[in-house]
PDB file of all heavy atoms in Angstrom:
ATOM      1  N   LEU V 300     -66.836  28.872  12.595  1.00  0.00           N
ATOM      2  CA  LEU V 300     -68.156  28.264  12.723  1.00  0.00           C
ATOM      3  C   LEU V 300     -68.296  27.413  13.971  1.00  0.00           C
ATOM      4  O   LEU V 300     -69.423  27.120  14.406  1.00  0.00           O
ATOM      5  CB  LEU V 300     -68.474  27.425  11.486  1.00  0.00           C
ATOM      6  CG  LEU V 300     -68.435  28.169  10.132  1.00  0.00           C
ATOM      7  CD1 LEU V 300     -68.718  27.203   8.997  1.00  0.00           C
ATOM      8  CD2 LEU V 300     -69.437  29.312  10.126  1.00  0.00           C
ATOM      9  N   ILE V 301     -67.200  26.966  14.538  1.00  0.00           N
ATOM     10  CA  ILE V 301     -67.235  26.082  15.709  1.00  0.00           C
ATOM     11  C   ILE V 301     -66.964  26.919  16.950  1.00  0.00           C
ATOM     12  O   ILE V 301     -65.847  27.403  17.154  1.00  0.00           O
ATOM     13  CB  ILE V 301     -66.196  24.954  15.598  1.00  0.00           C
ATOM     14  CG1 ILE V 301     -66.273  24.284  14.230  1.00  0.00           C
ATOM     15  CG2 ILE V 301     -66.396  23.950  16.727  1.00  0.00           C
ATOM     16  CD1 ILE V 301     -67.607  23.666  13.902  1.00  0.00           C
ATOM     17  N   GLU V 302     -67.981  27.131  17.770  1.00  0.00           N
ATOM     18  CA  GLU V 302     -67.871  27.996  18.937  1.00  0.00           C
ATOM     19  C   GLU V 302     -66.793  27.454  19.893  1.00  0.00           C
ATOM     20  O   GLU V 302     -66.783  26.285  20.251  1.00  0.00           O
ATOM     21  CB  GLU V 302     -69.206  28.085  19.664  1.00  0.00           C
ATOM     22  CG  GLU V 302     -69.196  29.056  20.845  1.00  0.00           C
ATOM     23  CD  GLU V 302     -70.546  29.173  21.499  1.00  0.00           C
ATOM     24  OE1 GLU V 302     -71.516  28.591  20.977  1.00  0.00           O
ATOM     25  OE2 GLU V 302     -70.631  29.869  22.533  1.00  0.00           O
ATOM     26  N   GLY V 303     -65.906  28.360  20.299  1.00  0.00           N
ATOM     27  CA  GLY V 303     -64.848  28.012  21.243  1.00  0.00           C
ATOM     28  C   GLY V 303     -63.598  27.431  20.619  1.00  0.00           C
ATOM     29  O   GLY V 303     -62.620  27.183  21.329  1.00  0.00           O
ATOM     30  N   TYR V 304     -63.594  27.241  19.324  1.00  0.00           N
ATOM     31  CA  TYR V 304     -62.421  26.654  18.663  1.00  0.00           C
ATOM     32  C   TYR V 304     -61.492  27.767  18.188  1.00  0.00           C
ATOM     33  O   TYR V 304     -61.902  28.716  17.526  1.00  0.00           O
ATOM     34  CB  TYR V 304     -62.841  25.811  17.455  1.00  0.00           C
ATOM     35  CG  TYR V 304     -61.685  25.170  16.715  1.00  0.00           C
ATOM     36  CD1 TYR V 304     -60.889  24.223  17.336  1.00  0.00           C
ATOM     37  CD2 TYR V 304     -61.398  25.516  15.400  1.00  0.00           C
ATOM     38  CE1 TYR V 304     -59.842  23.634  16.668  1.00  0.00           C
ATOM     39  CE2 TYR V 304     -60.350  24.916  14.727  1.00  0.00           C
ATOM     40  CZ  TYR V 304     -59.570  23.980  15.362  1.00  0.00           C
ATOM     41  OH  TYR V 304     -58.525  23.399  14.695  1.00  0.00           O
ATOM     42  N   GLU V 305     -60.219  27.655  18.559  1.00  0.00           N
ATOM     43  CA  GLU V 305     -59.211  28.616  18.129  1.00  0.00           C
ATOM     44  C   GLU V 305     -58.453  28.030  16.948  1.00  0.00           C
ATOM     45  O   GLU V 305     -57.755  27.024  17.089  1.00  0.00           O
ATOM     46  CB  GLU V 305     -58.246  28.929  19.273  1.00  0.00           C
ATOM     47  CG  GLU V 305     -57.250  30.024  18.906  1.00  0.00           C
ATOM     48  CD  GLU V 305     -56.374  30.450  20.068  1.00  0.00           C
ATOM     49  OE1 GLU V 305     -56.707  30.064  21.224  1.00  0.00           O
ATOM     50  OE2 GLU V 305     -55.383  31.155  19.845  1.00  0.00           O
ATOM     51  N   VAL V 306     -58.620  28.658  15.800  1.00  0.00           N
ATOM     52  CA  VAL V 306     -58.002  28.155  14.577  1.00  0.00           C
ATOM     53  C   VAL V 306     -56.475  28.249  14.685  1.00  0.00           C
ATOM     54  O   VAL V 306     -55.947  29.328  14.965  1.00  0.00           O
ATOM     55  CB  VAL V 306     -58.500  28.950  13.355  1.00  0.00           C
ATOM     56  CG1 VAL V 306     -57.820  28.460  12.077  1.00  0.00           C
ATOM     57  CG2 VAL V 306     -60.002  28.848  13.230  1.00  0.00           C
ATOM     58  N   PRO V 307     -55.756  27.161  14.493  1.00  0.00           N
ATOM     59  CA  PRO V 307     -54.287  27.201  14.610  1.00  0.00           C
ATOM     60  C   PRO V 307     -53.651  27.967  13.464  1.00  0.00           C
ATOM     61  O   PRO V 307     -54.101  27.875  12.315  1.00  0.00           O
ATOM     62  CB  PRO V 307     -53.888  25.724  14.578  1.00  0.00           C
ATOM     63  CG  PRO V 307     -54.984  25.045  13.842  1.00  0.00           C
ATOM     64  CD  PRO V 307     -56.244  25.800  14.177  1.00  0.00           C
ATOM     65  N   ASP V 308     -52.638  28.738  13.786  1.00  0.00           N
ATOM     66  CA  ASP V 308     -51.837  29.403  12.764  1.00  0.00           C
ATOM     67  C   ASP V 308     -50.746  28.419  12.342  1.00  0.00           C
ATOM     68  O   ASP V 308     -49.822  28.136  13.108  1.00  0.00           O
ATOM     69  CB  ASP V 308     -51.228  30.679  13.318  1.00  0.00           C
ATOM     70  CG  ASP V 308     -50.510  31.506  12.250  1.00  0.00           C
ATOM     71  OD1 ASP V 308     -50.400  31.017  11.117  1.00  0.00           O
ATOM     72  OD2 ASP V 308     -50.075  32.627  12.560  1.00  0.00           O
ATOM     73  N   VAL V 309     -50.870  27.879  11.146  1.00  0.00           N
ATOM     74  CA  VAL V 309     -50.024  26.759  10.729  1.00  0.00           C
ATOM     75  C   VAL V 309     -48.541  27.077  10.786  1.00  0.00           C
ATOM     76  O   VAL V 309     -47.718  26.189  11.020  1.00  0.00           O
ATOM     77  CB  VAL V 309     -50.421  26.246   9.330  1.00  0.00           C
ATOM     78  CG1 VAL V 309     -51.855  25.746   9.338  1.00  0.00           C
ATOM     79  CG2 VAL V 309     -50.229  27.316   8.274  1.00  0.00           C
ATOM     80  N   VAL V 310     -48.174  28.342  10.547  1.00  0.00           N
ATOM     81  CA  VAL V 310     -46.754  28.682  10.512  1.00  0.00           C
ATOM     82  C   VAL V 310     -46.076  28.484  11.849  1.00  0.00           C
ATOM     83  O   VAL V 310     -44.852  28.398  11.930  1.00  0.00           O
ATOM     84  CB  VAL V 310     -46.520  30.131  10.015  1.00  0.00           C
ATOM     85  CG1 VAL V 310     -47.027  30.318   8.615  1.00  0.00           C
ATOM     86  CG2 VAL V 310     -47.171  31.141  10.951  1.00  0.00           C
ATOM     87  N   LYS V 311     -46.865  28.375  12.925  1.00  0.00           N
ATOM     88  CA  LYS V 311     -46.282  28.157  14.245  1.00  0.00           C
ATOM     89  C   LYS V 311     -46.027  26.674  14.527  1.00  0.00           C
ATOM     90  O   LYS V 311     -45.435  26.331  15.552  1.00  0.00           O
ATOM     91  CB  LYS V 311     -47.208  28.732  15.321  1.00  0.00           C
ATOM     92  CG  LYS V 311     -47.351  30.254  15.254  1.00  0.00           C
ATOM     93  CD  LYS V 311     -48.265  30.765  16.358  1.00  0.00           C
ATOM     94  CE  LYS V 311     -48.377  32.279  16.289  1.00  0.00           C
ATOM     95  NZ  LYS V 311     -49.287  32.800  17.362  1.00  0.00           N
ATOM     96  N   PHE V 312     -46.460  25.798  13.620  1.00  0.00           N
ATOM     97  CA  PHE V 312     -46.333  24.371  13.856  1.00  0.00           C
ATOM     98  C   PHE V 312     -45.527  23.641  12.783  1.00  0.00           C
ATOM     99  O   PHE V 312     -44.914  22.615  13.068  1.00  0.00           O
ATOM    100  CB  PHE V 312     -47.715  23.718  13.934  1.00  0.00           C
ATOM    101  CG  PHE V 312     -48.546  24.159  15.103  1.00  0.00           C
ATOM    102  CD1 PHE V 312     -49.485  25.162  14.969  1.00  0.00           C
ATOM    103  CD2 PHE V 312     -48.384  23.576  16.351  1.00  0.00           C
ATOM    104  CE1 PHE V 312     -50.255  25.582  16.043  1.00  0.00           C
ATOM    105  CE2 PHE V 312     -49.152  23.966  17.437  1.00  0.00           C
ATOM    106  CZ  PHE V 312     -50.091  24.979  17.281  1.00  0.00           C
TER     107      PHE V 312
END
Side-chain angles (χ1 to χ4, degrees):
L300 302 178
I301 312 300
E302 184 177 354
Y304 180 64
E305 185 174 347
V306 178
D308 187 354
V309 299
V310 298
K311 295 181 179 179
F312 295 97

